[in-house]
Amino acid sequence: MSTRTDAPTRREQILREAARLFAERGFHGVGVDEIGAAVGISGPGLYRHFAGKDAMLAELLVGISGRLYDGGRKRVAAADGGPEAVLGSLIDGHIDFALDDRALITLHDRELDRLRESDRKLVRQLQRQYVELWVSVVRELYPDGSEAETRAAVHAVFGLLNSTPHLGSYGLGLPGRAATEELLRRLAHGAFAALAD
């Protein structure tokens, strides 16, 4: 839901490349020199921006959890129409994340346990808040389902949407971005519609 069009800052470039490299080779398989080289600075030059790889990982994982939750709240507040429009906006926002930040999904799945306990708790707290945002919208649209069933459906849709790192590349298993986006949208709405059965 970002509307920013200016060039990424050096810090953002470092985080993007760190996410890509960590997702490709694992947190311990990447050195600061490699991250620095990917953005055109020396490895030690990274320490002007981050205390180390652990700080990068924490900022990536806490940051994406915060962005999803904040973006979700903004979408709920800004959506025109009833709960169906709000849910559609939430789905569209999560699809954008799932297609644009595939490395962060992989990173979260593999490396969350490497965070300090306080950072891991913050990630989990933000994720719970994000889930509950969706649960309240879905329950408004499909009030006959139980709260537990609705929460399970929200988690299942997240699993569906967050499967994008396993789908391959566009043209090599994935249709183009627009077609993939539309497919994910139909699948997500269909999953929630099952709550009405």
Side-chain angles (χ1 to χ4, degrees):
M1 198 165 149
S2 175
T3 58
R4 199 178 137 174
T5 57
D6 50 335
T9 65
R10 176 65 77 185
R11 187 177 180 84
E12 290 167 336
Q13 291 171 344
I14 292 167
L15 286 172
R16 183 180 60 236
E17 289 304 314
R20 180 183 64 79
L21 290 167
F22 292 160
E24 286 175 4
R25 298 204 310 270
F27 180 74
H28 288 302
V30 178
V32 292
D33 290 336
E34 294 170 273
I35 298 169
V39 296
I41 61 176
S42 69
L46 290 177
Y47 294 109
R48 287 193 297 264
H49 301 278
F50 295 95
K53 287 190 338 179
D54 290 332
M56 288 180 222
L57 182 64
E59 188 158 332
L60 285 165
L61 295 182
V62 172
I64 193 55
S65 297
R67 283 198 329 264
L68 281 169
Y69 176 54
D70 290 342
R73 288 187 323 162
K74 289 175 184 170
R75 285 177 173 277
V76 168
D80 280 338
E84 190 168 348
V86 176
L87 181 59
S89 182
L90 285 172
I91 289 171
D92 287 349
H94 201 96
I95 288 172
D96 284 342
F97 158 69
L99 293 177
D100 295 339
D101 292 308
R102 294 165 73 182
L104 287 175
I105 294 170
T106 300
L107 194 59
H108 178 276
D109 288 348
R110 289 186 191 157
E111 310 292 354
L112 181 64
D113 288 343
R114 298 198 190 287
L115 291 181
R116 290 179 312 181
E117 181 66 21
S118 59
D119 289 329
R120 196 166 48 248
K121 282 183 178 178
L122 181 54
V123 167
R124 293 297 189 202
Q125 176 188 354
L126 290 164
Q127 289 173 338
R128 278 192 301 275
Q129 290 171 319
Y130 185 57
V131 167
E132 292 311 310
L133 188 72
W134 281 65
V135 167
S136 65
V137 172
V138 174
R139 282 191 54 91
E140 194 174 343
L141 188 58
Y142 300 105
D144 294 337
S146 70
E147 189 170 330
E149 186 179 45
T150 302
R151 189 169 288 104
V154 168
H155 282 287
V157 167
F158 288 170
L160 170 88
L161 298 178
N162 291 348
S163 69
T164 55
H166 307 289
L167 300 177
S169 300
Y170 297 118
L172 300 172
L174 264 186
R177 181 188 164 99
T180 301
E181 188 176 323
E182 182 53 34
L183 175 62
L184 291 173
R185 186 177 294 114
R186 287 195 323 267
L187 290 170
H189 282 286
F192 286 126
L195 289 170
D197 295 342

